[in-house]
């Protein structure tokens, strides 16, 4: 067996079961080796899409997916998706062919590319060490929650491996046990506070039951970051998303808290609105199993290094009698859809709030929603309910538009029992249109909703009010529904709520083809979260 075959087999044996990519000459044998070893391969139409599919699959499945790319240009095509995964600390392995000769037209410094976006570069260095190095790449991805670039030089791929030993699956990542003194300090703060709020992030996913129990005992209200949206779905004390997407009532209640506990949550500028959601007298606590994450984005009063579920369990066991805490407040509705607004719909264009509410009403509860970036993105994120923390795939760490459709593909494959919904802007939809073919080819019963304002709306609303020309960010109308039909989709142009009857018919039918909605949305005002986004530049 040569190195290409041994590396492919070792990656699958170490836990890689799903592979995305675009295959060229350099990664042909590597990819086929993974498939022969039992991995499922999905061919994307662009490496950037493949990278985002792998990222989304890893996030929504809790497993390590792989991306496979050609040397040089294959890797550079994938770099935006890899940057998103690396910035989000997604456990993922990028398997890239590599040339080491600088005179080759395929040569780029692939190690430097990885480091530039925060990924971890490693290389297969010899036939003798190939299997161990491949296994170590997966182990690093799992143990450190990192995106790893595994470079496999072309000359090395062809070398014979001396009787490679069978590779065993990696053990699960061990839960970090918090220090007793830190748990005691957290418990004491929870006992003494009057208005506690829990903000759960990605690190809290899977720990709903114990966090709700501790919140019940301590009288805490519950909120999430955007990436953990749905974690407390249906809980009567849930405030929904904290941060830029927070409803006015949610923001009011969090701002009045005297104790904010971030559970596996970075408490960054987005989740805390640049600190505006933290009252002047509030105590801030952060619980994370990565010590380097504590206080990384803002000053905290207490940091607890430990697994979220284990820390909450220990605090609950030591807490004592139940307290009313913040649960003497009349909560009211924290949902955006219950906030009154002036519907600016016309006969030609629909208000994105009206569109989102109507979609929320007709879509089945079992859904997985992927949201692209852009001026529109707050509407599907805040108005479309999701059943749990595996219901929203939110790839926004790099704030790149064009990732939403590929995100939806990866999420759909990771959550096959749910209706996949891709919420895109027209800019992102047209950037990623090639992956409509992947949706159709895979037979995914996906609903793609394009919030189409014929512009890069964020720039229009940011620069336009100051009198700057916006010709560079506005476009003639595009019939995106016609483009989708060309890829084999059912499609509808939506200008009014009545036009959504086409979606209802599709939902009630066999869904043999995916469907795209080209929603012509009003473009008269910026989304409410836009100012926060530009403050973060």
């Amino acid at each position: 067996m040569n190195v290409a075959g041994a590396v492919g087999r070792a990656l699958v044996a170490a836990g890689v079961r799903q592979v995305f990519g675009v295959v060229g000459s350099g990664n042909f044998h590597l990819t086929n080796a993974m498939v022969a070893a039992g991995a499922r391969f999905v061919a994307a139409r662009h490496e950037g899409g493949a990278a985002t599919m792998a990222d989304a699959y890893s996030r929504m499945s809790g497993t390590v997916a792989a991306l496979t790319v050609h040397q040089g240009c294959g890797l550079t095509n994938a770099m935006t998706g890899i940057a998103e995964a690396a910035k989000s600390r997604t456990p993922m392995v990028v398997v890239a062919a590599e040339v080491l000769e600088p005179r080759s037209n395929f040569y780029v410094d692939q190690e430097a590319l990885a480091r530039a976006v925060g990924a971890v570069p490693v290389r297969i260095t010899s036939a003798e060490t190939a299997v161990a190095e491949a296994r170590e790449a997966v182990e690093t991805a799992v143990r450190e929650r990192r995106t790893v670039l595994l470079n496999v030089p072309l000359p090395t791929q062809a070398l014979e491996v001396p009787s490679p030993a069978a590779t065993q699956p990696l053990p699960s990542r061990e839960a970090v046990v918090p220090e007793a003194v830190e748990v005691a300090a957290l418990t004491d703060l929870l006992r003494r506070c009057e208005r506690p709020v829990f903000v759960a992030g990605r690190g809290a996913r899977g720990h709903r039951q114990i966090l709700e129990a501790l919140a019940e005992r301590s009288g805490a209200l519950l909120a999430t970051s955007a990436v953990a949206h749905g974690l407390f779905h249906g809980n009567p004390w849930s405030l929904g998303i904290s941060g830029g997407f927070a409803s006015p009532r949610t923001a009011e209640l969090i701002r009045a808290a005297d104790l904010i506990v971030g559970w596996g949550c970075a408490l960054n500028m987005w989740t805390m609105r640049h600190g505006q959601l933290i009252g002047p007298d509030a105590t801030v606590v952060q619980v994370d199993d990565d010590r380097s994450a504590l206080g990384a984005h803002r000053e905290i009063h207490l940091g607890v290094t430990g697994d979220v579920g284990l820390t909450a369990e220990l605090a609950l066991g030591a807490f004592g009698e139940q307290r009313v805490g913040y649960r003497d407040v009349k909560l009211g509705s924290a949902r955006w859809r219950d906030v009154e607004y002036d519907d600016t719909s016309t006969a030609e264009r629909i208000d994105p709030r009206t569109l989102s509410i109507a979609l929320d009403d007709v879509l089945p509860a079992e859904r997985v929603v992927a949201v692209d970036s852009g001026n529109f993105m707050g509407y599907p994120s805040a108005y479309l309910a999701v059943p749990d923390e595996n219901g929203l795939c939110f790839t926004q760490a790099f704030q790149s538009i064009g990732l939403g459709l590929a995100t939806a593909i990866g999420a759909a494959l990771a959550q096959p029992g749910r209706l996949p919904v891709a919420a895109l802007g027209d800019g992102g939809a047209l950037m990623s249109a090639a992956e409509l073919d992947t949706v159709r080819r895979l037979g995914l019963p996906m609903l793609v909703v394009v919030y189409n304002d014929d512009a890069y709306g964020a720039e229009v609303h940011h620069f336009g009010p100051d009198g700057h020309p916006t010709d560079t960010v506005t476009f003639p109308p595009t019939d995106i529904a016609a483009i989708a039909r060309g890829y084999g989709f059912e499609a509808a142009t939506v200008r009014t709520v009545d036009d959504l009857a086409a979606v209802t018919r599709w939902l009630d039918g066999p869904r043999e083809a995916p469907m795209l909605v080209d929603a012509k949305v009003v473009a008269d005002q910026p989304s409410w979260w836009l100012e926060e986004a530009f403050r973060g530049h």
Side-chain angles (χ1 to χ4, degrees):
M1 181 181 295
N2 61 21
V3 166
V7 167
R9 188 174 76 165
L11 291 170
V12 174
V16 173
R17 296 290 184 271
Q18 179 68 57
V19 183
F20 300 87
V22 175
V23 174
S25 59
N27 63 326
F28 182 86
H29 296 300
L30 286 164
T31 305
N32 283 347
M34 286 187 275
V35 173
R40 179 187 183 185
F41 174 69
V42 170
R45 286 302 191 180
H46 190 277
E47 289 90 349
T52 302
M53 292 174 203
D55 180 10
Y57 186 92
S58 296
R59 296 181 193 225
M60 305 308 285
S61 69
T63 63
V64 180
L67 165 68
T68 172
V69 295
H70 188 272
Q71 65 271 21
C73 52
L75 179 62
T76 58
N77 276 346
M79 285 310 299
T80 297
I82 294 171
E84 169 65 37
K87 288 175 177 290
S88 298
R89 297 291 291 269
T90 299
M92 182 174 116
V93 178
V94 180
V95 185
E98 183 183 32
V99 295
L100 301 177
E101 173 51 61
R103 287 176 294 184
S104 168
N105 60 314
F106 288 122
Y107 177 79
V108 291
D109 190 338
Q110 297 190 176
E111 180 177 332
L113 282 174
R115 294 191 189 282
V117 298
V120 178
V122 296
R123 177 178 289 121
I124 300 297
T125 59
S126 71
E128 291 74 20
T129 58
V131 169
E133 288 165 339
R135 177 183 171 87
E136 177 63 24
V138 181
E139 186 173 359
T140 299
V142 173
R143 183 183 66 248
E144 300 181 17
R145 287 198 297 264
R146 300 293 296 274
T147 297
V148 177
L149 171 62
L150 177 62
N151 289 312
V152 191
L154 290 177
T156 308
Q157 288 189 37
L159 299 177
E160 287 298 312
V161 174
S163 303
T167 303
Q168 299 299 317
L170 295 174
S172 301
R173 191 173 188 271
E174 293 185 5
V176 177
V177 180
E179 296 288 341
V181 63
E182 294 178 348
V183 175
L186 169 61
T187 306
D188 184 59
L189 286 171
L190 286 170
R191 289 196 196 102
R192 291 191 289 110
C193 71
E194 297 295 330
R195 299 179 304 281
V197 170
F198 290 178
V199 182
R202 186 176 178 183
R205 295 172 65 180
H207 299 299
R208 171 174 179 160
Q209 186 173 359
I210 187 61
L211 286 174
E212 286 185 328
L214 181 59
E216 175 75 17
R217 186 74 61 87
S218 60
L221 304 183
L222 297 161
T224 71
S225 66
V227 294
H229 181 40
L231 179 63
F232 303 120
H233 176 74
N235 187 295
W237 298 103
S238 173
L239 302 178
I241 301 175
S242 173
F245 295 157
S247 70
R249 182 57 173 158
T250 294
E252 177 187 14
L253 290 167
I254 295 175
R255 196 176 289 117
D258 61 356
L259 174 66
I260 296 174
V261 184
W263 296 92
C265 178
L267 299 178
N268 58 26
M269 62 183 181
W270 308 114
T271 307
M272 290 288 104
R273 287 192 183 176
H274 300 270
Q276 292 180 8
L277 295 187
I278 301 174
D281 300 320
T283 299
V284 180
V285 177
Q286 194 176 355
V287 180
D288 202 291
D289 63 4
D290 180 358
R291 184 177 294 275
S292 68
L294 301 177
H297 292 275
R298 65 184 60 262
E299 182 179 352
I300 59 175
H301 300 89
L302 172 65
V304 180
T305 305
D307 174 78
V308 164
L310 185 54
T311 301
E313 183 179 345
L314 292 171
L316 179 64
F319 191 85
E321 295 183 3
Q322 185 166 329
R323 301 183 72 251
V324 174
Y326 212 169
R327 298 191 174 188
D328 60 353
V329 69
K330 185 177 180 180
L331 199 61
S333 177
R335 301 191 308 170
W336 264 109
R337 63 172 292 155
D338 295 329
V339 177
E340 293 185 5
Y341 67 96
D342 293 327
D343 190 335
T344 61
S345 299
T346 68
E348 294 299 317
R349 290 191 175 268
I350 187 170
D351 189 307
R353 295 164 292 189
T354 303
L355 170 68
S356 302
I357 292 170
L359 284 170
D360 191 46
D361 288 339
V362 301
L363 296 178
E366 286 299 309
R367 62 184 79 157
V368 55
V369 179
V371 181
D372 209 335
S373 194
N375 182 64
F376 78 96
M377 62 182 285
Y379 300 114
S381 299
Y383 284 84
L384 298 184
V386 292
D388 55 30
E389 70 270 33
N390 292 315
L392 176 67
C393 198
F394 193 75
T395 48
Q396 300 291 341
F398 203 23
Q399 286 185 264
S400 171
I401 69 171
L403 305 187
L405 182 57
T407 296
I409 295 171
L413 294 172
Q415 298 288 330
R418 301 184 178 193
L419 174 73
V421 180
L424 318 176
D426 52 298
L430 292 171
M431 275 189 183
S432 60
E435 301 306 346
L436 293 171
D437 175 74
T438 305
V439 176
R440 187 268 311 163
R441 180 165 26 91
L442 293 175
L444 297 175
M446 182 182 293
L447 177 65
V448 179
V449 182
V450 182
Y451 290 69
N452 186 356
D453 62 357
D454 298 314
Y456 293 138
E459 284 67 33
V460 168
H461 293 297
H462 184 65
F463 295 107
D466 292 330
H468 298 291
T470 58
D471 296 351
T472 55
V473 290
T474 55
F475 303 91
T478 302
D479 190 347
I480 299 178
I483 294 172
R485 291 188 190 100
Y487 279 103
F489 275 58
E490 295 185 34
T493 298
V494 170
R495 300 180 185 277
T496 68
V497 170
D498 290 343
D499 293 332
L500 287 173
V503 176
T504 302
R505 289 193 296 272
W506 178 79
L507 289 169
D508 292 340
R511 305 182 202 172
E512 293 176 346
M515 182 169 190
L516 182 139
V517 169
D518 183 3
K520 309 297 187 180
V521 297
V522 295
D524 59 343
Q525 59 184 331
S527 56
W528 75 92
W529 61 273
L530 184 62
E531 185 177 351
E532 290 293 324
F534 276 102
R535 287 181 62 207
H537 281 190

